[in-house]
Amino acid sequence: MADAAGTPMNLDSSETREMTRVPFTDLAAMTGEVWPEIEQDYLSCLLDGAYIGGPAVTAFERGWAAYCGADHGVGLGNGTDALLLSLTALGVGPGDEVVVPANTFIATAAAVVRAGATPRFADVSDDTLLMTADTLAAAITPRTRAVIIVHLYGQLPDMAGLAAIAQQTGIAVIEDAAQAHGAEWGGRRAGSFGAVACFSFYPAKNLGAFGDAGAVTTSRPELADEIRSLANHGRSHGHSHYHHDRIGTNSRLDALQAILLSGKLAHLEEWTERRIALASRYREHLGGGEFTGTGLKLTATAPLARHVYHLFVVRVPRRDSVRTALTRRGIQTGVHYPVPCHRQPPLRRLAEHPLPVAERAAGEVLSLPLFPHMTDRQVDYVCESLAEALRAAAVGSEAASAQ
């Protein structure tokens, strides 16, 4: 394999390995690009001491809602609270069930439990590892009140099919879009499909803050008002500071985070296009003949989806050996997720039957480095290293079997 300039790469060279170390992500590069544009506003806010609410938060809420194609945005403390407060605002609680995919981060199901309801786990597509209309339909019972559709890895599932099932059964749709900033299905962006959509701005997300932060988007004003009140100790807009209409919590987006997020939002489309270009380069290399017979499987992109590649996930045999080999070459990788959600100890009692796709994929998924400031040469190096790691793992497995 050649680098971006066409120069053959000698993977046995320690000098080359040192030069081409590849981090899983590079948060500093994104901050460095946007910092000159926000520095004055950020420092002014820092020195003024007006940290909670205010014009910066309102500006980001409006900008984010408009970007997503929704009428209202509410800034929150984190994406997990976005899920919990959305469930609460929709009246989901004890005695209710909420369908969630088995292949997701635990926060999706944990929010359901914290709301007092019961998660119902649905299996996922073997191609995309996302929920399907069929797996949703199979998980619905008379007690089901809602479904949380997770746009995992940066891709929306079949929203038309899922929405049809939800409409037929009368259940509410909540989008878990924590990994899908700017992703689309049929030209519509994540955040514009469900009764409410939930976002995380954890630093490593495509749009990330300096710490925990989150938001919801909705086109239902009563839901926006309810969630805003719940996130602000149950206060209602226009009432005194010490008038509380409901029991709420404290989950507010602060002004410093809002300034950063507004600054990064101006770059999000450019960064997204770069992610897509890098993913295309990965797919071109990984679909090549050198990977034939290695057991590598690419996670599919649906035709109507705009995949924004929060993560670039492949499936490989003997994952731990492959990952160790990549680490030795200076390549950082991730595993999202090694334990299916329904097999986590506090949720295991709720797993009523096997979910074979999610369970099998959990032992195979491997997230490769991908971030907007990654170079073409780094992608090439990862692909060449992965091919060699897969071959070495296969040889090791054969030798072990022969003993």
Side-chain angles (χ1 to χ4, degrees):
M1 182 177 294
D3 66 14
T7 305
M9 296 170 59
N10 176 13
L11 294 180
D12 292 327
S13 164
S14 60
E15 180 180 357
T16 299
R17 289 198 297 272
E18 186 63 29
M19 289 171 55
T20 53
R21 291 186 181 276
V22 187
F24 188 68
T25 190
D26 188 349
L27 304 184
M30 286 184 277
T31 299
E33 185 174 346
V34 76
W35 179 251
E37 302 163 13
I38 68 166
E39 181 178 9
Q40 183 174 348
D41 289 342
Y42 194 91
L43 293 178
S44 293
C45 179
L46 188 67
L47 296 174
D48 287 346
Y51 305 140
I52 305 298
V57 174
T58 299
F60 174 71
E61 290 175 334
R62 291 174 177 170
W64 184 242
Y67 177 83
C68 294
D71 293 337
H72 305 279
V74 181
L76 299 169
N78 55 74
T80 304
D81 283 353
L83 289 165
L84 173 60
L85 298 180
S86 294
L87 289 163
T88 303
L90 287 167
V92 175
D96 297 329
E97 293 178 346
V98 179
V99 178
V100 301
N103 184 37
T104 187
F105 184 57
I106 194 172
T108 310
V112 176
V113 175
R114 289 177 61 205
T118 301
R120 285 276 298 174
F121 291 102
D123 211 351
V124 293
S125 162
D126 194 47
D127 295 323
T128 64
L129 300 182
L130 303 175
M131 186 190 293
T132 71
D134 288 341
T135 62
L136 169 59
I140 292 173
T141 77
R143 294 173 55 196
T144 305
R145 286 285 307 280
V147 55
I148 300 180
I149 300 174
V150 181
H151 309 328
L152 202 65
Y153 308 144
Q155 179 177 206
L156 277 70
D158 173 14
M159 294 305 294
L162 291 165
I165 297 297
Q167 185 173 18
Q168 291 168 14
T169 54
I171 63 175
V173 172
I174 299 170
E175 296 176 69
D176 182 340
Q179 298 185 4
H181 309 78
E184 298 176 3
W185 180 269
R188 283 180 61 184
R189 280 195 178 139
S192 67
F193 286 92
V196 63
C198 306
F199 292 89
S200 166
F201 303 121
Y202 180 77
K205 302 297 187 185
N206 290 25
L207 183 67
F210 279 155
D212 283 315
V216 298
T217 57
T218 180
S219 290
R220 291 172 52 176
E222 75 280 6
L223 279 180
D225 289 346
E226 179 82 1
I227 292 168
R228 190 181 300 280
S229 174
L230 288 168
N232 191 26
H233 294 293
R235 297 186 182 100
S236 293
H237 180 70
H239 288 227
S240 87
H241 186 74
Y242 296 107
H243 184 94
H244 306 268
D245 289 338
R246 52 184 63 81
I247 298 297
T249 188
N250 179 7
S251 184
R252 300 171 298 209
L253 177 67
D254 70 59
L256 290 170
Q257 302 287 19
I259 290 168
L260 172 66
L261 291 169
S262 289
K264 284 189 171 184
L265 181 55
H267 292 261
L268 183 57
E269 279 302 293
E270 174 191 351
W271 291 344
T272 298
E273 288 301 321
R274 179 58 181 163
R275 286 179 181 271
I276 293 171
L278 291 166
S280 295
R281 191 176 186 90
Y282 265 129
R283 288 186 179 277
E284 180 181 355
H285 287 320
L286 298 179
E290 64 190 305
F291 288 93
T292 301
T294 63
L296 175 79
K297 182 175 181 178
L298 296 175
T299 306
T301 299
L304 292 180
R306 185 205 190 198
H307 197 322
V308 298
Y309 292 100
H310 172 60
L311 298 168
F312 189 89
V313 177
V314 298
R315 294 165 67 179
V316 298
R318 298 169 290 277
R319 181 187 60 211
D320 293 345
S321 295
V322 171
R323 196 177 185 204
T324 297
L326 292 176
T327 300
R328 288 178 182 143
R329 291 179 171 272
I331 298 169
Q332 295 180 347
T333 58
V335 177
H336 301 85
Y337 299 97
V339 180
C341 200
H342 67 294
R343 295 300 186 199
Q344 295 286 353
L347 299 171
R348 199 174 295 153
R349 62 184 174 83
L350 303 173
E352 297 181 353
H353 52 80
L355 299 169
V357 176
E359 290 164 11
R360 182 171 61 252
E364 302 169 342
V365 288
L366 179 67
S367 301
L368 302 178
L370 196 152
F371 50 94
H373 297 82
M374 190 176 186
T375 67
D376 290 351
R377 182 177 180 180
Q378 287 176 316
V379 172
D380 297 345
Y381 178 65
V382 172
C383 292
E384 183 73 20
S385 299
L386 179 58
E388 185 163 324
L390 286 167
R391 289 193 294 267
V395 170
S397 178
E398 291 173 3
S401 299
Q403 292 179 354

